[in-house]
Amino acid sequence: METEALRQRLVQEAAELSERLGRNGGFGLDRPMNDSVGELSGYDNHPADLGSDMFERGKDMALREAGFRRLDQVQEALARIDRGTYGVCERCGRPIGEARLEADPAVGLCMGCQQREDDREGDDNRPVEEAFLAPGFGRTFMDGQDQTGYDGEDAWQDVAFYGTSSDVVRTFSPQSDDDDDEG
């Protein structure tokens, strides 16, 4: 494994990332949103007026965060080279494959540990509200329990009183006898 060549790639990437993050002025996030879009007030006549600008600002925040995160990964890889631990998995201590290091010199985990990390991240990266919502309406349906309060089933019955999607009757026919498309 050619550690010096990988070090040079990491140094070059760190320089490019630092220059890019500094050049674009923090993606315009150093100014209030109203100033960056040229509006006098954030309270427009319609809520959707600034929707595109808000989306772009959120995207800029994500891009800036990803840039800083990648810069941290590259700097950490350079520190591992200096410590003499480069190419060794930070979790299990096994060697990281040369092909993996060649593909991304900033990696710190072997393929097995990275796969376990990715699998675990999926579970940890869920909104906190899901813990409350699970198991959906099952927590409020109290049939079979000695409970006389207003529960989820009672709420559904009250809503269904006004109709459900199975109550819809098709009254429009896409083909009418009166249509003459032949000219």
Side-chain angles (χ1 to χ4, degrees):
M1 174 173 25
E2 187 71 35
T3 304
E4 192 54 38
L6 294 174
R7 175 196 289 273
Q8 291 304 316
R9 284 180 53 194
L10 288 167
V11 167
Q12 180 181 355
E13 184 177 357
E16 290 172 0
L17 284 166
S18 296
E19 192 269 331
R20 185 177 344 139
L21 289 169
R23 180 183 64 227
N24 63 22
F27 291 90
L29 298 172
D30 53 344
R31 301 184 328 235
M33 190 170 127
N34 290 342
D35 293 348
S36 67
V37 297
E39 293 287 335
L40 296 176
S41 171
Y43 301 100
D44 282 324
N45 294 332
H46 193 276
D49 287 343
L50 290 176
S52 296
D53 296 322
M54 183 65 76
F55 170 79
E56 290 297 326
R57 191 156 178 98
K59 183 176 72 173
D60 290 343
M61 291 172 74
L63 289 171
R64 183 181 69 169
E65 179 65 28
F68 282 122
R69 191 176 317 120
R70 179 62 183 179
L71 182 59
D72 288 344
Q73 289 173 345
V74 170
Q75 290 172 339
E76 180 61 33
L78 288 168
R80 284 194 305 274
I81 291 174
D82 293 339
R83 287 192 307 263
T85 59
Y86 184 75
V88 177
C89 180
E90 295 173 337
R91 290 261 167 75
C92 67
R94 286 181 277 185
I96 299 173
E98 289 183 35
R100 180 164 168 75
L101 289 171
E102 188 67 34
D104 183 4
V107 297
L109 300 176
C110 67
M111 284 296 291
C113 290
Q114 183 66 55
Q115 184 64 45
R116 284 188 291 281
E117 178 72 17
D118 291 344
D119 291 344
R120 188 184 65 78
E121 253 181 39
D123 295 336
D124 292 346
N125 204 15
R126 302 300 308 164
V128 295
E129 294 84 3
E130 286 186 357
F132 173 75
L133 294 176
F137 288 106
R139 71 184 185 289
T140 60
F141 281 73
M142 305 296 178
D143 284 353
Q145 298 180 12
D146 189 22
Q147 193 265 8
T148 58
Y150 188 83
D151 66 356
E153 183 180 14
D154 296 325
W156 169 249
Q157 289 170 350
D158 288 344
V159 171
F161 174 78
Y162 295 99
T164 65
S165 61
S166 61
D167 296 338
V168 176
V169 177
R170 179 170 275 217
T171 59
F172 171 75
S173 174
Q175 294 244 324
S176 174
D177 293 333
D178 298 334
D179 290 342
D180 187 14
D181 292 336
E182 294 181 18

